[in-house]
Amino acid sequence: MATGRQKQTTAAARPTARRAMAGRLSWGLADQAVCSMTNFAVGIYVARSLGLSAFGVFSLAWVTYGVVLSVSRGLATDPLVVRFSGVSTESWRAAAARSSGTALGVGGAVGTVCLVVGLSVGGRVGPAFAALGVVLPGLLLQDAWRYSFFAAGTGRKAFANDLLGGVALVPALLVAARVGSVGAFVLAWGAAAAVAAAYGCLQSGIRPRPGGARAWLREQRDLGYRYLVENVGVSGASQLRAYGLGAIVGVSAVGVVRGAELLLGPFLAVLMGLSLVTVPEAARVLRQAPHRLGTFCLMLSGALAGAALLWGVALLLVPDRGGELVLGDVWGSASDLIVPAALGVAGSSLGIGAAAGLRALAAARRSLRAQLFASTCYVGGGLGGAALGGAVGSAWGVAAATIVSSAVWWLQLRSALRERHHSPIPEVRTS
């Protein structure tokens, strides 16, 4: 009888667990929709306001921010999501304080370097990087709150935070448009993030503890440093491709590639921030139903790849007049990259599920191997294609690289799952 009651209790709990997961995923999708719209609006507004060459300079600052963000996530927030998703409130609060303090410290340290370099370089690029140095602490702290909220299962707070940042961005961009410089737009973007970062402190009731960064890095070093290298491999590859493309073809080509990314912007933003939802959910699946982790990852990858292809088809149906209305002069060149860019995003999507599974398993060594391989392919394909066919050739090279890399991600996940079945389950640290 006791066994029967246990089975009934388990069966009754399954719909509740599914509804809870659906609720968390819904908040994650809503939050990513806000991020997508915000990033898309910033890119479009800057492209139309500054023109192709200045937009290329802004894009260089954007990809540089992506590298710094990857450093912050690898050291501060990725270990938080892996080890403190679904734990007690006390454990989460203590971890979130030190994690957000670490992110703030990274922003302050790297921001100082960017400020000094920007002021020293001067020219068109210097002011953009100096402005980036000023706003980095606020940008990284806001991102840290988003990760913290999703780790706690309170995605609605992340949604409210990003919504406030988007609202604050409107007047900031209007002021920047009056100034009319790349640096002004970078400052506007960062000022809106700073408002949201301050609001995150109120939402969580937690004050970031930069003084706890050293202890946090020491406790999470088995994951943090591998995730640091892995994340920098992603964003560093994008930066190397952007710089190399500018050197091989010209700065305008960077603007063309960024324009194509803007066309895929809403979907790309979902992919870039999807770990906010997928890694915590994969970690929960591993704790509650470990035999379903592979299926969860496979369904995730398939759905994302299909959605990426559908988005690419929709872009091909956009008339030139509509595209010019959105991107202005950038549309003519960017539209030639729609097919390879969409295939590249679909290729990346195929590996998203495997990457989430490896993070949930805390298989940092295997995910690092896969990411280093993927980054090498990305840079090689992007720059090799640029040398052969300019911006269009670079896009096709990246598309081929992402498809090959996704196969490696799945091979690593399969090996990690086999190891888990034949080895004792390591204890997950939550304090």
Side-chain angles (χ1 to χ4, degrees):
M1 292 296 292
T3 302
R5 284 196 296 270
Q6 289 175 353
K7 290 181 179 180
Q8 290 176 354
T9 302
T10 302
R14 285 175 184 170
T16 302
R18 289 178 186 148
R19 283 195 296 270
M21 178 184 290
R24 290 189 296 267
L25 289 173
S26 297
W27 280 116
L29 291 174
D31 177 69
Q32 290 307 316
V34 172
C35 289
S36 300
M37 292 173 61
T38 301
N39 292 336
F40 186 70
V42 170
I44 294 301
Y45 198 77
V46 174
R48 291 185 60 84
S49 301
L50 297 179
L52 185 58
S53 181
F55 183 58
V57 175
F58 181 86
S59 299
L60 290 177
W62 185 282
V63 296
T64 301
Y65 158 71
V67 175
V68 183
L69 181 64
S70 296
V71 172
S72 176
R73 287 179 175 177
L75 294 177
T77 52
D78 282 343
L80 175 77
V81 169
V82 171
R83 285 185 166 145
F84 295 90
S85 292
V87 300
S88 68
T89 302
E90 293 76 13
S91 295
W92 172 80
R93 287 180 64 84
R98 289 181 294 165
S99 173
S100 59
T102 303
L104 194 58
V106 171
V110 182
T112 300
V113 175
C114 287
L115 179 60
V116 172
V117 171
L119 294 175
S120 302
V121 171
R124 291 189 304 170
V125 177
F129 277 82
L132 180 63
V134 172
V135 302
L136 270 177
L139 286 166
L140 297 187
L141 181 57
Q142 186 204 9
D143 186 74
W145 289 133
R146 295 175 66 224
Y147 269 72
S148 298
F149 292 142
F150 277 106
T154 54
R156 62 186 183 279
K157 291 185 178 180
F159 171 78
N161 191 280
D162 279 319
L163 187 61
L164 176 64
V167 172
L169 189 61
V170 175
L173 287 178
L174 292 176
V175 173
R178 288 182 174 272
V179 178
S181 67
V182 177
F185 279 102
V186 175
L187 288 174
W189 164 44
V195 171
Y199 180 54
C201 296
L202 295 176
Q203 287 178 293
S204 62
I206 298 172
R207 185 174 65 181
R209 289 180 51 202
R214 180 174 297 180
W216 175 260
L217 294 175
R218 183 174 61 253
E219 293 169 5
Q220 310 300 329
R221 63 182 178 275
D222 59 325
L223 294 183
Y225 293 118
R226 285 195 176 99
Y227 288 160
L228 168 64
V229 177
E230 182 180 332
N231 290 353
V232 170
V234 177
S235 54
S238 297
Q239 191 173 26
L240 286 175
R241 180 203 180 190
Y243 288 163
L245 186 60
I248 296 171
V249 185
V251 176
S252 296
V254 180
V256 171
V257 170
R258 177 60 185 156
E261 291 175 349
L262 281 175
L263 295 174
L264 291 157
F267 195 84
L268 276 173
V270 170
L271 287 183
M272 289 175 62
L274 205 58
S275 60
L276 291 169
V277 181
T278 57
V279 176
E281 289 307 319
R284 288 185 177 93
V285 171
L286 181 63
R287 287 190 176 98
Q288 298 169 7
H291 61 284
R292 295 180 180 174
L293 180 62
T295 302
F296 172 82
C297 296
L298 184 62
M299 292 178 63
L300 175 64
S301 288
L304 290 174
L309 292 176
L310 289 175
W311 188 272
V313 171
L315 289 175
L316 291 174
L317 300 177
V318 174
D320 288 338
R321 183 176 299 180
E324 291 170 358
L325 182 65
V326 174
L327 285 180
D329 295 337
V330 179
W331 165 259
S333 301
S335 60
D336 294 334
L337 274 63
I338 290 177
V339 173
L343 289 175
V345 174
S348 297
S349 301
L350 289 173
I352 290 291
L358 287 171
R359 285 290 175 95
L361 290 165
R365 186 173 299 175
R366 289 195 172 278
S367 62
L368 176 58
R369 291 174 190 166
Q371 188 54 64
L372 289 177
F373 178 84
S375 298
T376 302
C377 288
Y378 181 91
V379 174
L383 297 186
L388 294 174
V392 175
S394 180
W396 278 109
V398 166
T402 57
I403 294 172
V404 173
S405 300
S406 290
V408 174
W409 277 107
W410 278 101
L411 289 173
Q412 291 293 337
L413 178 61
R414 185 179 66 175
S415 298
L417 289 172
R418 286 178 176 175
E419 288 176 356
R420 185 181 185 280
H421 288 316
H422 293 89
S423 304
I425 301 173
E427 182 180 354
V428 178
R429 195 159 58 224
T430 59
S431 61

